[in-house]
């Protein structure tokens, strides 16, 4: 295929030079006496001018091919880039800083709460509230201490689910579609550049921007998954207090979204693979190039779709708050009421006594 392309390019160059030289000879003969330069000198001038033009065009195509080939490597490496997660050894190092910074606050708060329950509080309601806070502080301290393990579990679940999803179809079909779309844009840029020096710049920009956007989005997902994982102890700390609960919830939502974005890309590869196989038979009149370009743009839009669709994470966390808060609070009140100097209930005896009139 490459030999055919080179042969076609060489033939176009020869035809172009022959046409330019023929036109110059014809113009020289028509000028007759008005022509000051001899035919040989005009031939050399035309040949030199056209050779300089083709050299510039060749330089443009060659420099563009370096950029194109670099970004084109994203397609064979896309499954690996999708399932990649930051190394845990580097994340644990930075998470340890936040853990060591936050744990003393929890220890002091637990000690003060325990002192309040034992020596200060006399009201059953206040003691029940203090016990509820005591339980939350213990849970928060445990979660912060094991936050590196939580991150590792999230990475493991997301990466393995993404691999399992990609095994549902032959993702090489999708990768071939993306590559064909980029290659089609690149070929169009080459041919337009041969015709006109700046004729294919817009096509080259579209091709480069799309591939560069895929690279940048995957790189950004990798960085965000690591950065938000490092901040998980801080997110748990903020979530433990009513004043900063919304901040902690937002940080935790973003961590889940950026980690599990891999699954969205995996689903996108499966969808494109199925579409490449089925759509040509369903819609035979549809140009195959349109399918290639559409699949590439769809893959680039997947992360933005996820960032909008996965707002349901906020609803899930809110439901978790409601479910875990109600039993804890009611259980703490019941525990406090049943353990603090409860007097005998005499109302039942009063109710069952007969009226005094009898």
């Amino acid at each position: 295929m490459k030999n055919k392309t080179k042969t076609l390019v060489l033939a176009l160059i020869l035809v172009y030079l022959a046409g330019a030289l023929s036109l110059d000879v014809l113009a020289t003969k028509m000028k007759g006496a008005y022509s000051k330069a001899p035919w040989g000198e005009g031939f050399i001038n035309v040949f030199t001018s056209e050779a300089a033009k083709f050299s510039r065009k060749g330089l443009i195509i060659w420099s563009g091919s370096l950029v194109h080939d670099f970004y084109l490597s994203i397609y064979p490496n896309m499954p690996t880039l999708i399932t990649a997660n930051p190394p845990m050894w580097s994340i644990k190092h930075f998470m340890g800083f936040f853990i060591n910074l936050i744990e003393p606050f929890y220890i002091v708060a637990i000690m003060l709460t325990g002192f309040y329950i034992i020596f200060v509080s006399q009201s059953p309601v206040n003691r029940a509230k203090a016990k509820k806070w005591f339980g939350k502080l213990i849970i928060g301290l445990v979660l912060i201490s094991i936050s590196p393990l939580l991150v590792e579990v999230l990475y493991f679940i997301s990466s393995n689910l993404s691999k399992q999803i990609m095994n549902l179809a032959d993702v090489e079909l999708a990768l071939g579609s993306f590559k064909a779309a980029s290659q089609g844009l690149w070929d169009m840029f080459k041919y337009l550049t041969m015709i006109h020096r700046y004729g294919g710049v817009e096509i080259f920009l579209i091709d480069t921007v799309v591939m560069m956007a895929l690279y940048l989005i995957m790189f950004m997902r990798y960085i965000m998954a690591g950065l938000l994982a490092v901040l998980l102890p801080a997110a748990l700390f903020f979530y433990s207090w009513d004043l900063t609960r919304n901040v902690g919830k937002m940080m935790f939502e973003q961590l889940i979204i950026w980690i599990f974005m891999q699954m969205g890309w995996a689903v996108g590869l499966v969808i494109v693979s199925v579409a490449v196989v089925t759509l040509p038979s369903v819609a035979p009149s549809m140009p195959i190039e349109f399918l290639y370009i559409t699949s590439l743009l769809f893959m680039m839009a997947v992360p933005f779709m996820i960032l909008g669709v996965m707002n349901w994470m906020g609803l899930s966390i809110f439901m978790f708050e409601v479910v875990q808060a109600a039993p804890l609070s009611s259980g703490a009140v019941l525990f406090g009421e049943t353990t603090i100097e409860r007097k005998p209930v005499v109302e039942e005896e009063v109710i069952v006594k007969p009226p005094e009139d009898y």
Side-chain angles (χ1 to χ4, degrees), residues 19-206:
L21 292 174
S22 301
L23 290 175
D24 183 72
V25 171
L26 180 62
T28 303
K29 289 182 178 180
M30 292 179 63
K31 287 181 180 178
Y34 297 98
S35 179
K36 298 180 180 179
W39 183 87
E41 185 177 347
F43 178 87
I44 294 174
N45 290 337
V46 171
F47 183 83
T48 304
S49 175
E50 296 304 320
K53 289 180 181 179
F54 270 99
S55 298
R56 289 193 296 268
K57 292 178 181 181
L59 181 61
I60 292 173
I61 294 174
W62 176 77
S63 58
S65 67
L66 297 179
V67 179
H68 175 78
D69 292 340
F70 171 77
Y71 287 117
L72 200 65
S73 63
I74 187 176
Y75 299 133
N77 297 315
M78 185 174 288
T80 303
L81 294 173
I82 289 175
T83 57
N85 285 313
M88 281 304 304
W89 60 266
S90 61
I91 292 177
K92 287 180 180 179
H93 176 73
F94 293 103
M95 291 183 74
F97 169 78
F98 290 98
I99 293 173
N100 296 330
L101 184 67
I102 294 172
E103 279 183 342
F105 289 98
Y106 273 90
I107 294 173
V108 172
I110 290 172
M111 293 174 61
L112 292 176
T113 304
F115 180 82
Y116 176 82
I117 293 173
I118 297 173
F119 298 105
V120 178
S121 177
Q122 298 297 329
S123 170
V125 176
N126 291 338
R127 298 188 79 179
K129 290 181 179 179
K131 289 177 181 179
K132 182 184 72 173
W133 273 108
F134 187 82
K136 286 187 175 182
L137 290 173
I138 293 294
I139 294 174
L141 179 61
V142 172
L143 290 177
I144 288 175
S145 301
I146 65 171
S147 55
L149 179 61
L150 295 177
V151 172
E152 193 168 359
V153 170
L154 291 176
Y155 283 167
F156 177 80
I157 293 174
S158 177
S159 179
N160 282 273
L161 286 178
S162 300
K163 292 177 182 177
Q164 294 300 322
I165 291 172
M166 286 190 286
N167 288 334
L168 297 176
D170 185 8
V171 295
E172 292 296 329
L173 296 173
L175 301 178
S177 174
F178 303 151
K179 188 174 182 179
S182 296
Q183 196 62 42
L185 293 173
W186 170 251
D187 292 339
M188 190 182 301
F189 159 72
K190 285 194 301 184
Y191 297 144
L192 290 175
T193 303
M194 292 174 192
I195 298 172
H196 189 274
R197 185 188 308 175
Y198 306 111
V201 173
E202 294 82 1
I203 304 298
F204 176 73
L205 289 178
I206 293 174

